[in-house]
Amino acid sequence: MAETMTGGCQCGRVRYEVEIASDDAYLCHCRMCQKATGGIAAAFVQVESPINWLGEPDWYDSSPVAHRPFCSTCGTPLGFAWKTTSKG
Ligand SMILES: [Zn+2]
Ligand SMILES: [Zn+2]
């Protein structure tokens, strides 16, 4: 059952909408998630459909194969994505 979820950063500059197939969430304890959030784990919900960004996030490379969106104004981490070859 798909439903639309919205979210964003602390200061409100970056907002998004995304369709989620289920509300199953998981914690990732890998070293890069610990560094990305400053905590012991990062919480994620897997999404299949593209995220509709209502305010463009900033991106940084967290590893050679992945990058993470964040807000450069308030510093909120906004997720994780594998790099696609088409996006350079
Ligand atoms: Zn922000
Ligand atoms: Zn991780």
Side-chain angles (χ1 to χ4, degrees):
M1 191 179 78
E3 65 176 293
T4 301
M5 194 180 78
T6 60
C9 69
Q10 292 270 4
C11 74
R13 188 179 74 80
V14 181
R15 302 290 302 167
Y16 63 81
E17 283 179 355
V18 69
E19 217 167 74
I20 56 172
S22 83
D23 58 2
D24 283 347
Y26 66 97
L27 292 175
C28 182
H29 296 80
C30 83
R31 196 67 189 132
M32 278 175 294
C33 286
Q34 292 177 341
K35 285 182 176 173
T37 60
I40 59 163
F44 291 107
V45 174
Q46 180 84 35
V47 294
E48 308 296 337
S49 50
I51 293 175
N52 178 25
W53 295 103
L54 306 174
E56 276 294 308
D58 302 282
W59 295 83
Y60 72 97
D61 290 349
S62 58
S63 79
V65 294
H67 56 176
R68 293 170 191 252
F70 71 103
C71 175
S72 63
T73 303
C74 65
T76 303
L78 290 158
F80 166 92
W82 297 109
K83 283 186 195 175
T84 56
T85 47
S86 61
K87 210 182 168 188

